[in-house]
Amino acid sequence: MRFDLHKLSDINVPEFFNIAVACTENTYKTDKHHPDQIAVIVDNNGKDVQQLSYSELAKHSNQVANALQNLGCLQGDRVMLCLPNCMEFPLAFFGALKLGAIAVPSSMLLSGDELDYLAKDSGAKILVTTPDHWAKLEKLSSPSHHLSSVILVTDKKPSFSQSAQPELYNWQTLMDTASGEFEACKTKANDPAYLVYTSGTTGYPKGVLHAHRALLGRIPAARRWFDYAENQVDRILHSGKFNWTYVLGTALMDPLLLGKTVVVYEGNADAETWPKLIAKHQCSIFIGVPTLYRQIIQKTEITKQDVPSLRYCMCAGEHLSDELYSAWKERFGLTIYEAIGMSECSYYLSQHPTHLVKPGSAGFPQPGHSISLLNEHLEPVADNEEGMLCIALDDPGLFLGYWHLDETTEASRKGNFFLTGDYAYRDSDGYIWFLGRKDDLINSFGYRISPHEIERVIKTYSAIADCVALEECIGKDKNIVVACIILHQGMSFNEQALTDYVHEHLAKYKAPKKFYLMDSFPRTANGKVLRKELRNNIHNKTTSGKIGSH
């Protein structure tokens, strides 16, 4: 099966499909692409740069598949990956999928207990990681995982523990003895391919299981969020880590399916790192979270002349403020195109050059996804009426289910729809305006208010670097709107001036009644604000003076 984005119309899901074969082998066998074309570039702290061509990616992922098979890994077994941005990650990911195993990416920021939980819950048979991260698990007094083998990515010979299980292996030793020829498992499109973990409501992460068809379900984003060049090989730089679902798709699977070159970075980073990488590797597309774009604007003097290859910018993960959108466009002459998605279905709402961008809007549902705004009776809502974003169950990008959580999976599906839990409204021009999850919506004196509306306005105030709007309980059934703010460096806080500004740009019921001055916000490893934790910090006043009420 060969893919040419500019010739694709409908998404046809074949009976048999394998993500790894499509990304590492089918691509370079097309007439348009050469086997020596660069597929992946990993820049290690600016000191060491590794790159693999498509033919090398195919060969080395075959070696991984053979090595895993030699360790007793079978189709359906789980292979857990706990790796930094390094070349071993895509090789291990694609190698596992070629074998028909299920890849389980995990964050390098997890503690030993958290890694143990993921290994146990997923039932991982093999772990591919670094010696430092294996040490986190090894030192646990009562580990609950049942790993049989651990593959250590290291230049040094691993030190073996006294226990017989799991057995330790050196990555390079396995690669040196494994064949570069492998007949990939003939997986069906609906067979499981990878398992990602996301925040759960029970205090433990829940697994989101995706099928091989998920890659085909990402084609709408390639058409209507990305803007790939037809007559050149784009180089895509992503600021995130491979283990993040956002990056796994947009900086690995999606571009490789279409024969592009992906660039990732591992190491210390500041605001100047990303423009320098764009220039160094002649990247044409940059993908990051709004926080990074904001840092580049605020902390550097870099302009478009410094990144001549850059022609397209994308963001997701947090809301892009009007102020930042305008500042970036003014300095670089480029629009930042935003998208919204979720672990269960990746990105399905986005902005794109085919439509004028309305700052603050999520854009449109991507053609190829069947997205509906429904009320509690699963009936379509009218324009400018709030509804839940729902995805048709036959969407090829939709996940198979929550891992070992059948009741949770069943509860998320009603009629012919997957219920995202996210709310939005559609204006008369068809643009979608994202309101957030039910838990994030502010309920104040009978009004339901989107925090994003408030944040969008406050972030345009000159002294404000960042803002999060929340509700605060001040009595039985009494909630008020409050805003946590971070000032630009060197700026002072004038409560009355900010209050006047907010009242000028927001309805009175939406205006915060309190402002909390903060140094930083609690965030996930991927940069998302932990709103619940922030609410608790305000309620419990546990930040030792870092929260100040004005």
Side-chain angles (χ1 to χ4, degrees):
M1 181 179 293
R2 299 180 177 185
F3 294 92
D4 186 337
L5 181 63
H6 300 278
K7 294 180 181 179
L8 289 171
S9 52
D10 297 326
I11 301 174
N12 296 312
V13 179
E15 181 181 1
F16 296 97
F17 184 74
N18 185 286
I19 288 174
V21 173
C23 289
T24 69
E25 297 184 15
N26 285 342
T27 301
Y28 79 79
K29 292 177 182 176
T30 64
D31 295 335
K32 186 180 290 187
H33 305 293
H34 192 275
D36 292 331
Q37 180 184 307
I38 301 302
V40 183
I41 297 174
V42 177
D43 192 311
N44 187 9
N45 214 19
K47 300 174 183 177
D48 174 45
V49 177
Q50 295 177 294
Q51 62 182 37
L52 285 180
S53 67
Y54 274 92
S55 58
E56 290 171 328
L57 184 62
K59 174 186 175 182
H60 294 322
S61 57
N62 283 342
Q63 288 177 290
V64 174
N66 276 311
L68 293 174
Q69 189 175 63
N70 291 339
L71 293 179
C73 188
L74 304 173
Q75 182 175 1
D77 284 343
R78 274 74 67 202
V79 178
M80 188 171 167
L81 313 179
C82 185
L83 294 168
N85 277 354
C86 60
M87 202 60 77
E88 288 81 4
F89 187 103
L91 294 178
F93 181 80
F94 290 132
L97 269 57
K98 284 185 175 181
L99 182 60
I102 301 170
V104 187
S106 59
S107 171
M108 293 285 285
L109 300 177
L110 297 180
S111 67
D113 287 335
E114 290 170 318
L115 287 171
D116 185 52
Y117 175 80
L118 261 59
K120 176 188 177 184
D121 187 71
S122 67
K125 187 173 187 177
I126 296 175
L127 169 66
V128 184
T129 190
T130 64
D132 287 346
H133 284 76
W134 166 238
K136 290 182 180 181
L137 276 172
E138 193 176 29
K139 70 180 182 181
L140 294 178
S141 58
S142 301
S144 57
H145 66 77
H146 298 287
L147 295 165
S148 63
S149 303
V150 176
I151 302 174
L152 297 177
V153 177
T154 177
D155 295 330
K156 302 176 182 178
K157 184 177 180 180
S159 57
F160 292 87
S161 61
Q162 298 299 315
S163 60
Q165 293 290 336
E167 294 189 49
L168 303 185
Y169 297 89
N170 179 276
W171 169 278
Q172 196 56 52
T173 301
L174 292 177
M175 293 291 284
D176 289 342
T177 56
S179 170
E181 298 291 329
F182 186 81
E183 184 176 348
C185 179
K186 194 175 182 181
T187 52
K188 291 190 173 183
N190 212 44
D191 283 345
Y194 58 97
L195 177 65
V196 295
Y197 278 81
T198 187
S199 298
T201 57
T202 62
Y204 293 96
K206 59 183 177 183
V208 178
L209 184 64
H210 278 281
H212 283 271
R213 58 170 164 77
L215 179 56
L216 300 176
R218 300 179 64 90
I219 289 175
R223 295 177 184 148
R224 288 299 177 92
W225 183 27
F226 278 93
D227 186 35
Y228 291 121
E230 186 170 2
N231 298 314
Q232 75 175 69
V233 177
D234 281 306
R235 288 192 167 195
I236 298 97
L237 172 66
H238 202 303
S239 63
K241 303 292 185 184
F242 276 135
N243 67 271
W244 189 9
T245 315
Y246 179 14
V247 187
L248 189 62
T250 56
L252 190 64
M253 296 188 292
D254 300 2
L256 295 184
L257 176 69
L258 301 170
K260 310 302 179 181
T261 299
V262 298
V263 183
V264 294
Y265 173 78
E266 179 63 37
N268 298 323
D270 57 27
E272 292 189 347
T273 299
W274 309 107
K276 287 180 178 178
L277 287 167
I278 291 169
K280 177 180 179 180
H281 296 291
Q282 297 183 308
C283 299
S284 52
I285 297 175
F286 177 59
I287 312 174
V289 293
T291 296
L292 289 183
Y293 286 100
R294 185 179 299 111
Q295 289 173 351
I296 293 170
I297 289 293
Q298 293 176 355
K299 299 181 179 181
T300 79
E301 300 297 325
I302 292 168
T303 67
K304 182 66 171 68
Q305 292 181 335
D306 300 305
V307 286
S309 61
L310 183 65
R311 64 171 185 81
Y312 198 73
C313 300
M314 303 159 63
C315 77
E318 60 183 86
H319 181 62
L320 177 70
S321 70
D322 296 8
E323 176 201 22
L324 180 56
Y325 171 88
S326 299
W328 187 268
K329 193 167 186 177
E330 181 179 349
R331 189 190 293 187
F332 288 88
L334 297 170
T335 297
I336 302 175
Y337 292 95
E338 190 174 7
I340 287 174
M342 60 194 313
S343 298
E344 290 86 345
C345 194
S346 188
Y347 296 94
Y348 59 91
L349 301 176
S350 59
Q351 301 164 345
H352 190 261
T354 50
H355 290 88
L356 180 70
V357 171
K358 286 187 179 182
S361 162
F364 295 85
Q366 297 161 356
H369 289 302
S370 180
I371 309 299
S372 301
L373 280 169
L374 305 177
N375 62 21
E376 59 185 357
H377 304 296
L378 299 185
E379 299 167 338
V381 298
D383 288 352
N384 299 306
E385 185 179 330
E386 177 188 310
M388 185 191 290
L389 288 159
C390 299
I391 303 172
L393 289 180
D394 61 358
D395 191 304
L398 194 62
F399 73 130
L400 288 168
Y402 295 112
W403 183 253
H404 291 166
L405 295 171
D406 293 342
E407 290 184 3
T408 304
T409 301
E410 185 177 351
S412 71
R413 303 178 181 199
K414 290 186 179 179
N416 297 317
F417 298 99
F418 167 69
L419 311 182
T420 68
D422 290 327
Y423 287 77
Y425 69 90
R426 179 184 57 250
D427 68 19
S428 57
D429 294 322
Y431 287 80
I432 302 296
W433 296 82
F434 190 72
L435 298 174
R437 300 194 70 78
K438 205 83 168 180
D439 291 343
D440 291 340
L441 292 177
I442 297 169
N443 293 280
S444 180
F445 296 97
Y447 293 101
R448 288 167 50 78
I449 309 163
S450 167
H452 304 294
E453 289 185 67
I454 302 167
E455 292 161 5
R456 185 165 58 87
V457 168
I458 294 178
K459 286 177 182 178
T460 62
Y461 187 70
S462 59
I464 304 300
D466 208 352
C467 165
V468 175
L470 303 166
E471 69 178 40
E472 180 180 353
C473 180
I474 59 171
K476 182 174 174 58
D477 298 326
K478 291 183 180 179
N479 297 320
I480 60 171
V481 180
V482 301
C484 301
I485 58 174
I486 298 174
L487 298 178
H488 286 302
Q489 189 171 3
M491 300 295 288
S492 59
F493 178 63
N494 185 320
E495 179 184 2
Q496 189 59 52
L498 179 56
T499 300
D500 292 344
Y501 182 84
V502 168
H503 279 277
E504 182 182 350
H505 293 87
L506 282 173
K508 187 175 181 180
Y509 70 89
K510 297 180 183 178
K513 306 301 186 289
K514 285 185 185 179
F515 295 101
Y516 289 96
L517 193 59
M518 305 185 72
D519 296 329
S520 62
F521 299 144
R523 296 179 182 271
T524 67
N526 296 323
K528 289 187 178 181
V529 174
L530 294 167
R531 292 176 181 268
K532 184 176 181 180
E533 183 175 331
L534 190 54
R535 279 193 292 266
N536 290 338
N537 286 348
I538 293 172
H539 178 72
N540 298 322
K541 300 290 191 295
T542 58
T543 54
S544 303
K546 289 188 178 181
I547 291 180
S549 177
H550 292 265

